[in-house]
PDB file of all heavy atoms in Angstrom:
ATOM      1  N   PRO A 166     141.480 141.870  73.672  1.00  0.00           N
ATOM      2  CA  PRO A 166     142.383 143.025  73.533  1.00  0.00           C
ATOM      3  C   PRO A 166     143.222 142.978  72.262  1.00  0.00           C
ATOM      4  O   PRO A 166     143.587 141.905  71.772  1.00  0.00           O
ATOM      5  CB  PRO A 166     143.270 142.915  74.780  1.00  0.00           C
ATOM      6  CG  PRO A 166     142.505 142.062  75.733  1.00  0.00           C
ATOM      7  CD  PRO A 166     141.732 141.110  74.899  1.00  0.00           C
ATOM      8  N   HIS A 167     143.543 144.167  71.738  1.00  0.00           N
ATOM      9  CA  HIS A 167     144.413 144.256  70.570  1.00  0.00           C
ATOM     10  C   HIS A 167     145.813 143.746  70.892  1.00  0.00           C
ATOM     11  O   HIS A 167     146.504 143.208  70.019  1.00  0.00           O
ATOM     12  CB  HIS A 167     144.505 145.710  70.085  1.00  0.00           C
ATOM     13  CG  HIS A 167     143.235 146.206  69.477  1.00  0.00           C
ATOM     14  ND1 HIS A 167     142.591 147.329  69.902  1.00  0.00           N
ATOM     15  CD2 HIS A 167     142.479 145.710  68.467  1.00  0.00           C
ATOM     16  CE1 HIS A 167     141.498 147.529  69.175  1.00  0.00           C
ATOM     17  NE2 HIS A 167     141.410 146.559  68.301  1.00  0.00           N
ATOM     18  N   TYR A 168     146.240 143.939  72.119  1.00  0.00           N
ATOM     19  CA  TYR A 168     147.584 143.475  72.502  1.00  0.00           C
ATOM     20  C   TYR A 168     147.555 142.995  73.951  1.00  0.00           C
ATOM     21  O   TYR A 168     146.688 143.380  74.742  1.00  0.00           O
ATOM     22  CB  TYR A 168     148.614 144.595  72.347  1.00  0.00           C
ATOM     23  CG  TYR A 168     148.620 145.582  73.481  1.00  0.00           C
ATOM     24  CD1 TYR A 168     149.487 145.430  74.560  1.00  0.00           C
ATOM     25  CD2 TYR A 168     147.722 146.656  73.516  1.00  0.00           C
ATOM     26  CE1 TYR A 168     149.485 146.328  75.617  1.00  0.00           C
ATOM     27  CE2 TYR A 168     147.712 147.547  74.559  1.00  0.00           C
ATOM     28  CZ  TYR A 168     148.596 147.385  75.615  1.00  0.00           C
ATOM     29  OH  TYR A 168     148.570 148.265  76.670  1.00  0.00           O
ATOM     30  N   LYS A 169     148.509 142.134  74.272  1.00  0.00           N
ATOM     31  CA  LYS A 169     148.650 141.620  75.632  1.00  0.00           C
ATOM     32  C   LYS A 169     150.134 141.578  75.999  1.00  0.00           C
ATOM     33  O   LYS A 169     150.974 141.222  75.165  1.00  0.00           O
ATOM     34  CB  LYS A 169     148.078 140.199  75.754  1.00  0.00           C
ATOM     35  CG  LYS A 169     146.608 140.063  75.432  1.00  0.00           C
ATOM     36  CD  LYS A 169     146.184 138.598  75.473  1.00  0.00           C
ATOM     37  CE  LYS A 169     144.714 138.427  75.102  1.00  0.00           C
ATOM     38  NZ  LYS A 169     144.318 136.985  75.108  1.00  0.00           N
ATOM     39  N   ILE A 170     150.432 141.922  77.224  1.00  0.00           N
ATOM     40  CA  ILE A 170     151.768 141.721  77.776  1.00  0.00           C
ATOM     41  C   ILE A 170     151.657 140.499  78.686  1.00  0.00           C
ATOM     42  O   ILE A 170     151.146 140.571  79.802  1.00  0.00           O
ATOM     43  CB  ILE A 170     152.242 142.951  78.560  1.00  0.00           C
ATOM     44  CG1 ILE A 170     152.293 144.170  77.637  1.00  0.00           C
ATOM     45  CG2 ILE A 170     153.611 142.698  79.180  1.00  0.00           C
ATOM     46  CD1 ILE A 170     152.569 145.475  78.356  1.00  0.00           C
ATOM     47  N   LYS A 171     152.116 139.355  78.170  1.00  0.00           N
ATOM     48  CA  LYS A 171     151.960 138.097  78.889  1.00  0.00           C
ATOM     49  C   LYS A 171     153.216 137.807  79.710  1.00  0.00           C
ATOM     50  O   LYS A 171     154.333 138.090  79.275  1.00  0.00           O
ATOM     51  CB  LYS A 171     151.704 136.954  77.903  1.00  0.00           C
ATOM     52  CG  LYS A 171     150.468 137.172  77.033  1.00  0.00           C
ATOM     53  CD  LYS A 171     150.132 135.939  76.211  1.00  0.00           C
ATOM     54  CE  LYS A 171     151.236 135.604  75.213  1.00  0.00           C
ATOM     55  NZ  LYS A 171     150.865 134.468  74.333  1.00  0.00           N
ATOM     56  N   ALA A 172     153.023 137.228  80.892  1.00  0.00           N
ATOM     57  CA  ALA A 172     154.164 136.937  81.747  1.00  0.00           C
ATOM     58  C   ALA A 172     153.801 135.872  82.769  1.00  0.00           C
ATOM     59  O   ALA A 172     152.619 135.671  83.087  1.00  0.00           O
ATOM     60  CB  ALA A 172     154.632 138.200  82.467  1.00  0.00           C
ATOM     61  N   ARG A 173     154.830 135.213  83.267  1.00  0.00           N
ATOM     62  CA  ARG A 173     154.595 134.225  84.307  1.00  0.00           C
ATOM     63  C   ARG A 173     154.254 134.886  85.637  1.00  0.00           C
ATOM     64  O   ARG A 173     153.516 134.349  86.446  1.00  0.00           O
ATOM     65  CB  ARG A 173     155.824 133.319  84.467  1.00  0.00           C
ATOM     66  CG  ARG A 173     156.051 132.401  83.286  1.00  0.00           C
ATOM     67  CD  ARG A 173     157.168 131.418  83.538  1.00  0.00           C
ATOM     68  NE  ARG A 173     157.334 130.506  82.419  1.00  0.00           N
ATOM     69  CZ  ARG A 173     158.276 129.568  82.359  1.00  0.00           C
ATOM     70  NH1 ARG A 173     159.143 129.442  83.360  1.00  0.00           N
ATOM     71  NH2 ARG A 173     158.352 128.786  81.312  1.00  0.00           N
ATOM     72  N   LYS A 174     154.836 136.080  85.829  1.00  0.00           N
ATOM     73  CA  LYS A 174     154.555 136.795  87.069  1.00  0.00           C
ATOM     74  C   LYS A 174     154.586 138.295  86.806  1.00  0.00           C
ATOM     75  O   LYS A 174     155.542 138.812  86.236  1.00  0.00           O
ATOM     76  CB  LYS A 174     155.560 136.425  88.164  1.00  0.00           C
ATOM     77  CG  LYS A 174     155.060 136.712  89.577  1.00  0.00           C
ATOM     78  CD  LYS A 174     155.901 135.977  90.601  1.00  0.00           C
ATOM     79  CE  LYS A 174     155.264 136.074  91.983  1.00  0.00           C
ATOM     80  NZ  LYS A 174     156.041 135.329  93.005  1.00  0.00           N
ATOM     81  N   ILE A 175     153.520 138.975  87.210  1.00  0.00           N
ATOM     82  CA  ILE A 175     153.403 140.415  87.020  1.00  0.00           C
ATOM     83  C   ILE A 175     153.119 141.060  88.376  1.00  0.00           C
ATOM     84  O   ILE A 175     152.259 140.599  89.132  1.00  0.00           O
ATOM     85  CB  ILE A 175     152.259 140.757  86.044  1.00  0.00           C
ATOM     86  CG1 ILE A 175     152.479 140.067  84.690  1.00  0.00           C
ATOM     87  CG2 ILE A 175     152.142 142.265  85.861  1.00  0.00           C
ATOM     88  CD1 ILE A 175     151.277 140.138  83.768  1.00  0.00           C
ATOM     89  N   PHE A 176     153.872 142.098  88.690  1.00  0.00           N
ATOM     90  CA  PHE A 176     153.678 142.838  89.931  1.00  0.00           C
ATOM     91  C   PHE A 176     153.117 144.213  89.584  1.00  0.00           C
ATOM     92  O   PHE A 176     153.702 144.932  88.769  1.00  0.00           O
ATOM     93  CB  PHE A 176     154.998 143.011  90.680  1.00  0.00           C
ATOM     94  CG  PHE A 176     155.671 141.718  91.050  1.00  0.00           C
ATOM     95  CD1 PHE A 176     156.490 141.067  90.140  1.00  0.00           C
ATOM     96  CD2 PHE A 176     155.483 141.146  92.295  1.00  0.00           C
ATOM     97  CE1 PHE A 176     157.127 139.881  90.465  1.00  0.00           C
ATOM     98  CE2 PHE A 176     156.103 139.958  92.640  1.00  0.00           C
ATOM     99  CZ  PHE A 176     156.932 139.320  91.720  1.00  0.00           C
ATOM    100  N   ILE A 177     152.006 144.575  90.208  1.00  0.00           N
ATOM    101  CA  ILE A 177     151.401 145.884  89.979  1.00  0.00           C
ATOM    102  C   ILE A 177     151.338 146.629  91.306  1.00  0.00           C
ATOM    103  O   ILE A 177     150.755 146.126  92.282  1.00  0.00           O
ATOM    104  CB  ILE A 177     149.985 145.768  89.387  1.00  0.00           C
ATOM    105  CG1 ILE A 177     150.023 145.000  88.054  1.00  0.00           C
ATOM    106  CG2 ILE A 177     149.374 147.145  89.181  1.00  0.00           C
ATOM    107  CD1 ILE A 177     148.658 144.754  87.465  1.00  0.00           C
ATOM    108  N   TYR A 178     151.953 147.814  91.322  1.00  0.00           N
ATOM    109  CA  TYR A 178     151.911 148.692  92.480  1.00  0.00           C
ATOM    110  C   TYR A 178     151.167 149.956  92.041  1.00  0.00           C
ATOM    111  O   TYR A 178     151.767 150.844  91.424  1.00  0.00           O
ATOM    112  CB  TYR A 178     153.323 149.024  92.965  1.00  0.00           C
ATOM    113  CG  TYR A 178     154.155 147.798  93.266  1.00  0.00           C
ATOM    114  CD1 TYR A 178     154.957 147.210  92.280  1.00  0.00           C
ATOM    115  CD2 TYR A 178     154.123 147.208  94.528  1.00  0.00           C
ATOM    116  CE1 TYR A 178     155.710 146.079  92.554  1.00  0.00           C
ATOM    117  CE2 TYR A 178     154.879 146.078  94.808  1.00  0.00           C
ATOM    118  CZ  TYR A 178     155.668 145.518  93.813  1.00  0.00           C
ATOM    119  OH  TYR A 178     156.413 144.396  94.076  1.00  0.00           O
ATOM    120  N   PRO A 179     149.841 150.033  92.290  1.00  0.00           N
ATOM    121  CA  PRO A 179     149.039 151.140  91.770  1.00  0.00           C
ATOM    122  C   PRO A 179     149.638 152.508  92.080  1.00  0.00           C
ATOM    123  O   PRO A 179     150.126 152.756  93.174  1.00  0.00           O
ATOM    124  CB  PRO A 179     147.686 150.952  92.478  1.00  0.00           C
ATOM    125  CG  PRO A 179     147.620 149.486  92.741  1.00  0.00           C
ATOM    126  CD  PRO A 179     149.028 149.089  93.073  1.00  0.00           C
ATOM    127  N   LYS A 180     149.628 153.363  91.049  1.00  0.00           N
ATOM    128  CA  LYS A 180     150.140 154.729  91.127  1.00  0.00           C
ATOM    129  C   LYS A 180     151.634 154.783  91.446  1.00  0.00           C
ATOM    130  O   LYS A 180     152.152 155.815  91.858  1.00  0.00           O
ATOM    131  CB  LYS A 180     149.355 155.542  92.167  1.00  0.00           C
ATOM    132  CG  LYS A 180     147.884 155.695  91.833  1.00  0.00           C
ATOM    133  CD  LYS A 180     147.166 156.550  92.860  1.00  0.00           C
ATOM    134  CE  LYS A 180     145.688 156.692  92.521  1.00  0.00           C
ATOM    135  NZ  LYS A 180     144.950 157.523  93.496  1.00  0.00           N
ATOM    136  N   ASP A 181     152.317 153.644  91.202  1.00  0.00           N
ATOM    137  CA  ASP A 181     153.762 153.612  91.437  1.00  0.00           C
ATOM    138  C   ASP A 181     154.483 152.978  90.255  1.00  0.00           C
ATOM    139  O   ASP A 181     155.069 153.671  89.433  1.00  0.00           O
ATOM    140  CB  ASP A 181     154.066 152.864  92.731  1.00  0.00           C
ATOM    141  CG  ASP A 181     155.546 152.920  93.100  1.00  0.00           C
ATOM    142  OD1 ASP A 181     156.313 153.646  92.427  1.00  0.00           O
ATOM    143  OD2 ASP A 181     155.935 152.246  94.066  1.00  0.00           O
ATOM    144  N   ARG A 182     154.438 151.636  90.128  1.00  0.00           N
ATOM    145  CA  ARG A 182     155.158 150.988  89.041  1.00  0.00           C
ATOM    146  C   ARG A 182     154.557 149.628  88.736  1.00  0.00           C
ATOM    147  O   ARG A 182     153.782 149.073  89.517  1.00  0.00           O
ATOM    148  CB  ARG A 182     156.639 150.832  89.390  1.00  0.00           C
ATOM    149  CG  ARG A 182     156.909 149.900  90.554  1.00  0.00           C
ATOM    150  CD  ARG A 182     158.355 150.022  91.033  1.00  0.00           C
ATOM    151  NE  ARG A 182     158.692 149.049  92.050  1.00  0.00           N
ATOM    152  CZ  ARG A 182     158.399 149.156  93.344  1.00  0.00           C
ATOM    153  NH1 ARG A 182     157.716 150.207  93.765  1.00  0.00           N
ATOM    154  NH2 ARG A 182     158.763 148.233  94.207  1.00  0.00           N
ATOM    155  N   LEU A 183     154.956 149.109  87.571  1.00  0.00           N
ATOM    156  CA  LEU A 183     154.537 147.789  87.115  1.00  0.00           C
ATOM    157  C   LEU A 183     155.787 147.030  86.691  1.00  0.00           C
ATOM    158  O   LEU A 183     156.650 147.569  85.991  1.00  0.00           O
ATOM    159  CB  LEU A 183     153.568 147.931  85.945  1.00  0.00           C
ATOM    160  CG  LEU A 183     152.973 146.675  85.315  1.00  0.00           C
ATOM    161  CD1 LEU A 183     151.623 146.998  84.697  1.00  0.00           C
ATOM    162  CD2 LEU A 183     153.892 146.106  84.229  1.00  0.00           C
ATOM    163  N   ILE A 184     155.914 145.782  87.128  1.00  0.00           N
ATOM    164  CA  ILE A 184     157.078 144.957  86.788  1.00  0.00           C
ATOM    165  C   ILE A 184     156.588 143.581  86.354  1.00  0.00           C
ATOM    166  O   ILE A 184     155.728 142.985  87.009  1.00  0.00           O
ATOM    167  CB  ILE A 184     158.027 144.800  87.997  1.00  0.00           C
ATOM    168  CG1 ILE A 184     158.522 146.170  88.466  1.00  0.00           C
ATOM    169  CG2 ILE A 184     159.204 143.896  87.643  1.00  0.00           C
ATOM    170  CD1 ILE A 184     159.309 146.115  89.772  1.00  0.00           C
ATOM    171  N   ALA A 185     157.122 143.074  85.249  1.00  0.00           N
ATOM    172  CA  ALA A 185     156.765 141.738  84.763  1.00  0.00           C
ATOM    173  C   ALA A 185     158.038 140.985  84.396  1.00  0.00           C
ATOM    174  O   ALA A 185     159.000 141.576  83.900  1.00  0.00           O
ATOM    175  CB  ALA A 185     155.845 141.834  83.555  1.00  0.00           C
ATOM    176  N   ARG A 186     158.013 139.681  84.624  1.00  0.00           N
ATOM    177  CA  ARG A 186     159.188 138.849  84.338  1.00  0.00           C
ATOM    178  C   ARG A 186     158.837 137.769  83.312  1.00  0.00           C
ATOM    179  O   ARG A 186     157.731 137.248  83.311  1.00  0.00           O
ATOM    180  CB  ARG A 186     159.711 138.212  85.624  1.00  0.00           C
ATOM    181  CG  ARG A 186     160.054 139.229  86.710  1.00  0.00           C
ATOM    182  CD  ARG A 186     160.665 138.573  87.934  1.00  0.00           C
ATOM    183  NE  ARG A 186     160.843 139.527  89.025  1.00  0.00           N
ATOM    184  CZ  ARG A 186     161.838 140.395  89.111  1.00  0.00           C
ATOM    185  NH1 ARG A 186     162.760 140.429  88.142  1.00  0.00           N
ATOM    186  NH2 ARG A 186     161.931 141.235  90.136  1.00  0.00           N
ATOM    187  N   ASN A 187     159.845 137.450  82.482  1.00  0.00           N
ATOM    188  CA  ASN A 187     159.660 136.448  81.427  1.00  0.00           C
ATOM    189  C   ASN A 187     158.468 136.838  80.554  1.00  0.00           C
ATOM    190  O   ASN A 187     157.457 136.159  80.501  1.00  0.00           O
ATOM    191  CB  ASN A 187     159.477 135.063  82.028  1.00  0.00           C
ATOM    192  CG  ASN A 187     159.622 133.968  80.991  1.00  0.00           C
ATOM    193  OD1 ASN A 187     160.141 134.194  79.899  1.00  0.00           O
ATOM    194  ND2 ASN A 187     159.160 132.768  81.325  1.00  0.00           N
ATOM    195  N   VAL A 188     158.628 137.939  79.843  1.00  0.00           N
ATOM    196  CA  VAL A 188     157.534 138.619  79.170  1.00  0.00           C
ATOM    197  C   VAL A 188     157.478 138.301  77.684  1.00  0.00           C
ATOM    198  O   VAL A 188     158.503 138.260  77.004  1.00  0.00           O
ATOM    199  CB  VAL A 188     157.673 140.153  79.351  1.00  0.00           C
ATOM    200  CG1 VAL A 188     156.568 140.883  78.601  1.00  0.00           C
ATOM    201  CG2 VAL A 188     157.658 140.508  80.822  1.00  0.00           C
ATOM    202  N   THR A 189     156.260 138.109  77.185  1.00  0.00           N
ATOM    203  CA  THR A 189     156.014 137.986  75.753  1.00  0.00           C
ATOM    204  C   THR A 189     154.973 139.023  75.345  1.00  0.00           C
ATOM    205  O   THR A 189     153.908 139.107  75.961  1.00  0.00           O
ATOM    206  CB  THR A 189     155.497 136.582  75.386  1.00  0.00           C
ATOM    207  OG1 THR A 189     156.458 135.605  75.764  1.00  0.00           O
ATOM    208  CG2 THR A 189     155.231 136.474  73.891  1.00  0.00           C
ATOM    209  N   MET A 190     155.296 139.809  74.332  1.00  0.00           N
ATOM    210  CA  MET A 190     154.348 140.784  73.802  1.00  0.00           C
ATOM    211  C   MET A 190     153.551 140.130  72.678  1.00  0.00           C
ATOM    212  O   MET A 190     154.128 139.614  71.714  1.00  0.00           O
ATOM    213  CB  MET A 190     155.074 142.008  73.268  1.00  0.00           C
ATOM    214  CG  MET A 190     154.173 142.997  72.534  1.00  0.00           C
ATOM    215  SD  MET A 190     153.023 143.856  73.615  1.00  0.00           S
ATOM    216  CE  MET A 190     154.124 145.098  74.316  1.00  0.00           C
ATOM    217  N   GLN A 191     152.230 140.128  72.821  1.00  0.00           N
ATOM    218  CA  GLN A 191     151.355 139.554  71.801  1.00  0.00           C
ATOM    219  C   GLN A 191     150.518 140.660  71.181  1.00  0.00           C
ATOM    220  O   GLN A 191     149.862 141.434  71.882  1.00  0.00           O
ATOM    221  CB  GLN A 191     150.442 138.504  72.418  1.00  0.00           C
ATOM    222  CG  GLN A 191     149.454 137.886  71.422  1.00  0.00           C
ATOM    223  CD  GLN A 191     148.561 136.835  72.069  1.00  0.00           C
ATOM    224  OE1 GLN A 191     148.999 136.066  72.913  1.00  0.00           O
ATOM    225  NE2 GLN A 191     147.302 136.815  71.673  1.00  0.00           N
ATOM    226  N   VAL A 192     150.532 140.737  69.853  1.00  0.00           N
ATOM    227  CA  VAL A 192     149.690 141.674  69.114  1.00  0.00           C
ATOM    228  C   VAL A 192     148.771 140.851  68.232  1.00  0.00           C
ATOM    229  O   VAL A 192     149.238 140.086  67.379  1.00  0.00           O
ATOM    230  CB  VAL A 192     150.520 142.649  68.269  1.00  0.00           C
ATOM    231  CG1 VAL A 192     149.598 143.550  67.447  1.00  0.00           C
ATOM    232  CG2 VAL A 192     151.433 143.486  69.155  1.00  0.00           C
ATOM    233  N   GLY A 193     147.469 141.010  68.441  1.00  0.00           N
ATOM    234  CA  GLY A 193     146.536 140.139  67.745  1.00  0.00           C
ATOM    235  C   GLY A 193     146.753 138.705  68.182  1.00  0.00           C
ATOM    236  O   GLY A 193     146.762 138.410  69.372  1.00  0.00           O
ATOM    237  N   LYS A 194     147.011 137.822  67.227  1.00  0.00           N
ATOM    238  CA  LYS A 194     147.258 136.414  67.534  1.00  0.00           C
ATOM    239  C   LYS A 194     148.736 136.062  67.532  1.00  0.00           C
ATOM    240  O   LYS A 194     149.099 134.903  67.722  1.00  0.00           O
ATOM    241  CB  LYS A 194     146.529 135.527  66.522  1.00  0.00           C
ATOM    242  CG  LYS A 194     145.019 135.687  66.523  1.00  0.00           C
ATOM    243  CD  LYS A 194     144.366 134.769  65.503  1.00  0.00           C
ATOM    244  CE  LYS A 194     142.850 134.925  65.491  1.00  0.00           C
ATOM    245  NZ  LYS A 194     142.206 134.039  64.497  1.00  0.00           N
ATOM    246  N   TYR A 195     149.600 137.075  67.341  1.00  0.00           N
ATOM    247  CA  TYR A 195     151.017 136.790  67.116  1.00  0.00           C
ATOM    248  C   TYR A 195     151.883 137.290  68.265  1.00  0.00           C
ATOM    249  O   TYR A 195     151.735 138.428  68.740  1.00  0.00           O
ATOM    250  CB  TYR A 195     151.479 137.422  65.805  1.00  0.00           C
ATOM    251  CG  TYR A 195     150.690 136.953  64.608  1.00  0.00           C
ATOM    252  CD1 TYR A 195     149.648 137.726  64.095  1.00  0.00           C
ATOM    253  CD2 TYR A 195     150.963 135.721  64.013  1.00  0.00           C
ATOM    254  CE1 TYR A 195     148.912 137.293  62.994  1.00  0.00           C
ATOM    255  CE2 TYR A 195     150.230 135.277  62.923  1.00  0.00           C
ATOM    256  CZ  TYR A 195     149.209 136.064  62.426  1.00  0.00           C
ATOM    257  OH  TYR A 195     148.472 135.621  61.342  1.00  0.00           O
ATOM    258  N   ASN A 196     152.808 136.432  68.679  1.00  0.00           N
ATOM    259  CA  ASN A 196     153.831 136.830  69.640  1.00  0.00           C
ATOM    260  C   ASN A 196     154.961 137.501  68.870  1.00  0.00           C
ATOM    261  O   ASN A 196     155.560 136.898  67.971  1.00  0.00           O
ATOM    262  CB  ASN A 196     154.375 135.617  70.393  1.00  0.00           C
ATOM    263  CG  ASN A 196     153.317 134.961  71.252  1.00  0.00           C
ATOM    264  OD1 ASN A 196     152.406 135.625  71.758  1.00  0.00           O
ATOM    265  ND2 ASN A 196     153.412 133.651  71.430  1.00  0.00           N
ATOM    266  N   ILE A 197     155.258 138.753  69.204  1.00  0.00           N
ATOM    267  CA  ILE A 197     156.225 139.506  68.396  1.00  0.00           C
ATOM    268  C   ILE A 197     157.506 139.852  69.147  1.00  0.00           C
ATOM    269  O   ILE A 197     158.491 140.249  68.533  1.00  0.00           O
ATOM    270  CB  ILE A 197     155.596 140.810  67.862  1.00  0.00           C
ATOM    271  CG1 ILE A 197     155.218 141.738  69.023  1.00  0.00           C
ATOM    272  CG2 ILE A 197     154.372 140.506  67.000  1.00  0.00           C
ATOM    273  CD1 ILE A 197     154.825 143.128  68.576  1.00  0.00           C
ATOM    274  N   LEU A 198     157.503 139.690  70.468  1.00  0.00           N
ATOM    275  CA  LEU A 198     158.678 140.130  71.226  1.00  0.00           C
ATOM    276  C   LEU A 198     158.738 139.382  72.542  1.00  0.00           C
ATOM    277  O   LEU A 198     157.715 139.125  73.179  1.00  0.00           O
ATOM    278  CB  LEU A 198     158.597 141.640  71.486  1.00  0.00           C
ATOM    279  CG  LEU A 198     159.746 142.282  72.260  1.00  0.00           C
ATOM    280  CD1 LEU A 198     161.013 142.249  71.416  1.00  0.00           C
ATOM    281  CD2 LEU A 198     159.395 143.726  72.648  1.00  0.00           C
ATOM    282  N   TRP A 199     159.971 139.034  72.943  1.00  0.00           N
ATOM    283  CA  TRP A 199     160.182 138.413  74.258  1.00  0.00           C
ATOM    284  C   TRP A 199     161.213 139.216  75.009  1.00  0.00           C
ATOM    285  O   TRP A 199     162.167 139.754  74.425  1.00  0.00           O
ATOM    286  CB  TRP A 199     160.672 136.972  74.104  1.00  0.00           C
ATOM    287  CG  TRP A 199     160.978 136.334  75.448  1.00  0.00           C
ATOM    288  CD1 TRP A 199     160.113 135.658  76.253  1.00  0.00           C
ATOM    289  CD2 TRP A 199     162.234 136.347  76.134  1.00  0.00           C
ATOM    290  NE1 TRP A 199     160.736 135.245  77.406  1.00  0.00           N
ATOM    291  CE2 TRP A 199     162.054 135.657  77.357  1.00  0.00           C
ATOM    292  CE3 TRP A 199     163.500 136.858  75.845  1.00  0.00           C
ATOM    293  CZ2 TRP A 199     163.075 135.470  78.278  1.00  0.00           C
ATOM    294  CZ3 TRP A 199     164.515 136.688  76.770  1.00  0.00           C
ATOM    295  CH2 TRP A 199     164.310 135.987  77.969  1.00  0.00           C
ATOM    296  N   SER A 200     161.059 139.311  76.319  1.00  0.00           N
ATOM    297  CA  SER A 200     162.019 140.020  77.150  1.00  0.00           C
ATOM    298  C   SER A 200     162.041 139.389  78.535  1.00  0.00           C
ATOM    299  O   SER A 200     160.994 138.954  79.038  1.00  0.00           O
ATOM    300  CB  SER A 200     161.647 141.503  77.264  1.00  0.00           C
ATOM    301  OG  SER A 200     162.508 142.167  78.178  1.00  0.00           O
ATOM    302  N   PRO A 201     163.209 139.329  79.171  1.00  0.00           N
ATOM    303  CA  PRO A 201     163.254 138.771  80.527  1.00  0.00           C
ATOM    304  C   PRO A 201     162.591 139.680  81.558  1.00  0.00           C
ATOM    305  O   PRO A 201     162.200 139.227  82.625  1.00  0.00           O
ATOM    306  CB  PRO A 201     164.757 138.637  80.807  1.00  0.00           C
ATOM    307  CG  PRO A 201     165.394 139.649  79.918  1.00  0.00           C
ATOM    308  CD  PRO A 201     164.550 139.697  78.686  1.00  0.00           C
ATOM    309  N   LEU A 202     162.471 140.984  81.202  1.00  0.00           N
ATOM    310  CA  LEU A 202     161.931 141.929  82.172  1.00  0.00           C
ATOM    311  C   LEU A 202     161.203 143.067  81.471  1.00  0.00           C
ATOM    312  O   LEU A 202     161.649 143.568  80.437  1.00  0.00           O
ATOM    313  CB  LEU A 202     163.055 142.510  83.041  1.00  0.00           C
ATOM    314  CG  LEU A 202     162.651 143.517  84.123  1.00  0.00           C
ATOM    315  CD1 LEU A 202     161.863 142.814  85.224  1.00  0.00           C
ATOM    316  CD2 LEU A 202     163.885 144.198  84.706  1.00  0.00           C
TER     317      LEU A 202
END
Side-chain angles (χ1 to χ4, degrees):
H167 290 125
Y168 80 94
K169 300 175 182 178
I170 300 172
K171 302 188 296 185
R173 291 186 177 178
K174 201 164 189 178
I175 302 169
F176 301 85
I177 301 176
Y178 305 91
K180 298 182 180 180
D181 186 7
R182 65 192 186 279
L183 181 153
I184 301 172
R186 303 184 187 281
N187 194 16
V188 178
T189 300
M190 173 69 79
Q191 178 180 322
V192 176
K194 299 180 180 180
Y195 302 99
N196 295 329
I197 63 170
L198 180 68
W199 177 88
S200 174
L202 180 69

